[in-house]
Structure formats: structure tokens, C-alpha cells
Amino acid sequence: MSLQLNMIALLLVILIILGVVSHNSAITISAAVLLIMQQTFLSQYIPFVEKYGLKIGIIILTAGVLSPLVSGKIKLPNLADFLSWKMALSIVVGVFVAWLAGKGVSLMGEQPVLVTGLLIGTVAGVAFLGGIPVGPLIAAGILALLLGK
């Protein structure tokens, strides 16, 4: 087995370094797993990750968000709480962001070349501004709005 030295491998190494420097384990682990996959027999599974990774990630993220409710750490609000302006605003914002992410997924499918820019921006936001790497969907949604898609 020989290492495949190419621009993608270099980019993944840079992402690993940025993840370590910024103390962002999500970037570090993701880039390291992909680098290992690219450089080994696991490369045959990269199309699977490409096809299903986003959906699997959203499922895991959703389970993580719902787990405090299921474990009892967060209690269901009573009816009066649902009638407050803060709860109404949180529901509206949640609907808007979900819609925006949906627009982003469509744009990423229609114009995949834009994904590179979105990923660079997301990694910069994660590495230097303490963001989390769910940004590409929302960023793509905002871009879709700006492009009139």
C-alpha cells in the first residue's frame, strides 16, 4: 500500500491541523476518518458516506437534540409556556431554519461546485469563530436566497 499524495489529501491534513489548533474535535475526527478512508481499502466506502452521510448525520444530530427530553433533563413545557411570545418566536425561527436548510440541500445538489466555498467558510467559522459544522446547510440556504433559487 502506498500513500496517495494529492490535493484532497493535503486539504484533509490542513483540516486536521485546523481542527487540532482550534480544539474542534468534529473537524479533526471527520477529516482524519476521511483521510484514513481515502488512503486505505476503505476508499470503496466513500461513495456510501457521500450518499448517506448527511442523512445519517442529521439523524444522529436530531437524536442528540431530543435525548435530553427523553432522558428527563428537559421537561415538556406546559400549555401556558407554549402560549408565550418566546415560545412562538422559537417555533417560527425553527420552522424558518429548517426551511432554509432544505433550500440549502437543493442548492448543493443543483450546483455542487459551490459546496467547496461553503465548506471553506464553514471550516473557517468552526476553526476560528467557535462554530459547529452544521453550517453548510444553513449557509447554502442563505446562498440560495441570495441567488434567488
Side-chain angles (χ1 to χ4, degrees):
M1 179 182 82
S2 64
L3 292 178
Q4 302 171 23
L5 299 176
N6 57 38
M7 290 303 291
I8 301 301
L10 179 61
L11 174 64
L12 290 170
V13 169
I14 291 169
L15 290 175
I16 292 167
I17 292 167
L18 282 174
V20 169
V21 168
S22 65
H23 304 289
N24 191 301
S25 60
I27 291 289
T28 305
I29 293 168
S30 298
V33 166
L34 288 171
L35 182 62
I36 290 167
M37 288 180 78
Q38 182 200 41
Q39 298 295 321
T40 66
F41 68 94
L42 296 172
S43 62
Q44 64 186 331
Y45 299 108
I46 291 174
F48 176 84
V49 173
E50 184 179 350
K51 185 173 182 179
Y52 299 109
L54 184 62
K55 184 168 286 295
I56 292 167
I58 290 171
I59 290 168
I60 292 169
L61 179 64
T62 303
V65 169
L66 290 174
S67 63
L69 183 65
V70 174
S71 72
K73 289 183 180 168
I74 296 176
K75 303 292 182 212
L76 276 176
N78 59 39
L79 184 58
D81 291 333
F82 273 107
L83 300 176
S84 74
W85 70 270
K86 288 181 182 179
M87 182 63 81
L89 185 59
S90 69
I91 292 170
V92 169
V93 169
V95 168
F96 175 70
V97 169
W99 172 79
L100 198 57
K103 302 280 282 178
V105 169
S106 297
L107 178 73
M108 291 168 86
E110 293 168 8
Q111 299 184 39
V113 70
L114 298 176
V115 172
T116 304
L118 293 168
L119 290 175
I120 291 169
T122 298
V123 168
V126 169
F128 302 115
L129 301 176
I132 58 170
V134 294
L137 293 178
I138 303 303
I142 292 169
L143 184 59
L145 285 180
L146 295 174
L147 297 176
K149 296 286 178 184

